[in-house]
Amino acid sequence: MGKKVVVTGVPGVGKTTVINGAMERLAAEGVSYEPVNFGTFMFDVAKKENLVSNRDEMRKLGKDVQKRLQQAAASGIAAMSGDANIIVDTHSSVKTPTGFLAGLPEWVLRELMPDIVVLVETDPDQILMRRLGDESRTRDMEGSRAIAEHQEFNRAVAAAYAMYTGCTIKIVRNENFLLEQGIDDLVSVLR
Ligand code: AP5
């Protein structure tokens, strides 16, 4: 069985950046991982059903619709994983207009059964600045305090994922000017 690693973090913390750096490093060592973006799986279905025109609209959809898209993504990813090592870029929780939605509820965990859940974190002020600097996305405008609360909630809900699956929880810091350190940390759990 391949290793299943789920990488999470609030929008704009730099999950994808750290994953890409780690994949590059591991490829040079001959260790291969299949990268999977959970949001892309959801978006493909949502687009086909004309529910949204961009991926940032998905978290505003009704809770039951998001849960259905989640389920579809989880089954799609489980079907493709087989014996390969996979790294899933996703969210510990999603901030919706009606509150936090668990990114890995029971029906998703049952499909994925991760070995490790990684929480990518950094200081809320840095995340705020990264969001403001990223014009390619429609980010929620929220202050540092709300971002800090979201990161706290992500840790709390990740504890439940560990209880359910027996996975380990790894916290990777992705600080300004210290991206390489974050990549090193992620590589150490992927090797
Ligand atoms: P997704 O596309 O994963 O949304 P996201 O979190 O906004 O992802 P991004 O790729 O935009 O952010 P990132 O943290 O990867 O940051 P990046 O590396 O780009 O998901 C889309 C949607 O799908 C969600 O909103 C949700 O609706 C849905 N979804 C997904 N999973 C779900 C689930 N399980 N359940 C329900 N719904 C789900 O970096 C951001 C910026 O920071 C870049 O400009 C980068 O250059 C910069 N940066 C990164 N690191 C550093 C550093 N160390 N120093 C300085 N700058 C840095």
Side-chain angles (χ1 to χ4, degrees), residues 9-18 37-40 42 55-59 66 70 89-91 94 101-105 108 130-131 133-134 137 139 174-179:
V10 298
V13 71
K15 300 176 287 298
T16 312
T17 307
V18 178
N37 188 299
F38 199 100
T40 301
M42 288 177 61
R55 55 203 291 128
D56 288 306
E57 286 171 6
M58 289 194 296
R59 60 180 174 271
Q66 291 190 59
Q70 241 180 2
D89 186 338
T90 186
H91 293 258
V94 177
L101 179 80
L104 306 167
V108 172
R130 289 178 200 170
R131 288 184 187 175
D134 184 358
R137 300 291 298 264
R139 303 289 189 192
N174 177 32
E175 319 249 9
N176 281 354
F177 312 112
L178 293 172
L179 172 63

Side-chain angles (χ1 to χ4, degrees), residues 16-33 35 87 179-180 183 186-187 190-191:
T16 312
T17 307
V18 178
I19 290 173
N20 290 344
M23 300 283 295
E24 223 171 90
R25 191 87 61 78
L26 287 168
E29 294 178 14
V31 180
S32 73
Y33 269 84
I87 183 160
L179 172 63
E180 290 305 313
I183 292 172
L186 182 58
V187 165
L190 293 173
R191 256 196 205 108

Side-chain angles (χ1 to χ4, degrees), residues 52-69:
V52 291
S53 53
N54 71 62
R55 55 203 291 128
D56 288 306
E57 286 171 6
M58 289 194 296
R59 60 180 174 271
K60 312 277 194 302
L61 290 168
K63 172 169 70 83
D64 292 336
V65 179
Q66 291 190 59
K67 284 162 69 178
R68 183 170 57 77
L69 296 172

Side-chain angles (χ1 to χ4, degrees), residues 13 121-130 144 147-148 151 173-176:
V13 71
E121 296 182 351
T122 192
D123 296 345
D125 289 342
Q126 295 180 5
I127 296 168
L128 184 58
M129 293 314 288
R130 289 178 200 170
S144 296
I147 294 173
Q151 292 200 121
R173 301 275 305 169
N174 177 32
E175 319 249 9
N176 281 354

